[in-house]
Amino acid sequence: MDQRWPEGPNADPDAARDRYNADMRASRAAILEVFRAELPIAHVGLLLVVLAGVFVSVVWSLRTGVIIVGAFAALFVVALAVAVLAGRRGRGAVHAAYKFTFGWANWITP
């Protein structure tokens, strides 16, 4: 099997594979760090959703506020289903879905 390696004809395929795997691990770790949310931040997200729902209900209509809160509730249910299908069970699945649904508050809080 004749392969062309960027390092030249004397390249070590195992070393290249090791570098690739190390780079992929570093890339995945960076992505996880960007999307990581802690539980207190998720609580802030839930609080903001409830406050926005109440505010919209008072200013516009009750129906609009319920739609906003219901959309986040539906997102939580879908995230919970995905977490269960991914293999998480019980409290771990609920925490994962909760952090996914309301962890966006990490991007707006200092």
Side-chain angles (χ1 to χ4, degrees), residues 16-104:
R17 188 173 299 109
D18 291 340
R19 277 194 314 274
Y20 171 79
N21 289 335
D23 289 344
M24 288 302 293
R25 279 192 300 274
S27 176
R28 288 181 184 135
I31 289 172
L32 286 175
E33 182 63 30
V34 167
F35 290 109
R36 192 181 85 197
E38 300 297 327
L39 204 55
I41 295 297
H43 292 329
V44 171
L46 174 63
L47 177 68
L48 289 173
V49 168
V50 169
L51 288 176
V54 169
F55 177 76
V56 169
S57 295
V58 169
V59 173
W60 282 283
S61 70
L62 179 62
R63 181 174 176 233
T64 308
V66 169
I67 289 172
I68 290 172
V69 174
F72 278 96
L75 178 62
F76 176 78
V77 169
V78 169
L80 183 61
V82 168
V84 168
L85 289 174
R88 292 186 180 241
R89 295 290 183 254
R91 193 176 197 98
V94 172
H95 277 200
Y98 185 72
K99 287 179 187 180
F100 177 79
T101 305
F102 301 108
W104 54 266

